[in-house]
């Protein structure tokens, strides 16, 4: 209950959005909720976020200096994990991009990436 936590709902930032037609979408907390032709809505990550993650991943793969930067790796792997947990299709897109842009065919796991 919000009152117990001494919090209030901001009515200016609260609204209902009905996803009526296939393709209708809303962006919430870094994910897109997209109405599909079926009754189940799809969740995706923005293409820009996936591209930026791929760019950072390529930098990591191609730079021995970055491979020694634990903070960079933690942020990078956090982004990869976020994509993987939120959207299978966005994660598959990241894997495909990584193969094409970086030439990396291996798994996007912390263990595999740390062994580069």
């Amino acid at each position: 209950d919000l009152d117990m936590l001494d919090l209030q709902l901001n009515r200016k930032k609260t609204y209902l959005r009905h996803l009526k037609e296939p393709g209708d979408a809303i962006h919430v907390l870094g994910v897109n909720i997209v109405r599909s032709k079926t009754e189940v809505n799809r969740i995706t990550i923005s293409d820009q976020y996936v591209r930026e993650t791929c760019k950072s991943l390529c930098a990591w793969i191609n730079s021995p200096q970055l491979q020694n930067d634990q903070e960079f790796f933690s942020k990078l792997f956090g982004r990869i994990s976020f994509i993987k947990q939120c959207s299978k299709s966005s994660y598959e897109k990241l894997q495909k991009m990584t193969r094409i842009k970086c030439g990396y065919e291996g798994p996007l796991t912390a263990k595999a990436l740390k062994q580069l």
Side-chain angles (χ1 to χ4, degrees):
D1 186 53
L2 293 177
D3 289 334
M4 289 175 48
L5 299 172
D6 197 29
L7 298 173
Q8 294 179 348
L9 194 60
N10 185 335
R11 298 287 178 201
K12 292 179 183 178
K13 295 182 179 180
T14 305
Y15 62 94
L16 293 177
R17 171 83 189 262
H18 297 282
L19 304 177
K20 296 177 183 177
E21 301 293 323
D24 285 355
I26 187 168
H27 184 80
V28 180
L29 298 174
V31 299
N32 303 311
I33 303 169
V34 183
R35 174 70 183 214
S36 66
K37 290 182 181 180
T38 65
E39 289 300 311
V40 179
N41 293 332
R42 226 172 13 105
I43 295 180
T44 64
I45 305 299
S46 75
D47 287 344
Q48 179 179 352
Y49 190 87
V50 174
R51 281 192 306 272
E52 289 171 359
T53 303
C54 181
K55 184 178 177 182
S56 293
L57 183 53
C58 289
W60 167 267
I61 289 168
N62 295 313
S63 172
Q65 183 179 0
L66 278 180
Q67 290 177 10
N68 292 322
D69 186 337
Q70 185 59 43
E71 184 178 344
F72 184 90
F73 182 77
S74 294
K75 290 177 182 178
L76 171 61
F77 196 69
R79 291 175 71 104
I80 293 169
S81 297
F82 173 73
I83 293 168
K84 185 176 183 179
Q85 292 300 314
C86 292
S87 171
K88 182 179 177 183
S89 64
S90 295
Y91 182 68
E92 289 168 352
K93 186 181 289 188
L94 175 63
Q95 289 176 309
K96 183 178 180 180
M97 254 187 227
T98 303
R99 282 193 302 274
I100 293 167
K101 302 263 186 199
C102 313
Y104 178 71
E105 302 270 342
L108 301 180
T109 62
K111 183 177 180 179
L113 294 173
K114 282 285 195 175
Q115 292 177 349
L116 292 175

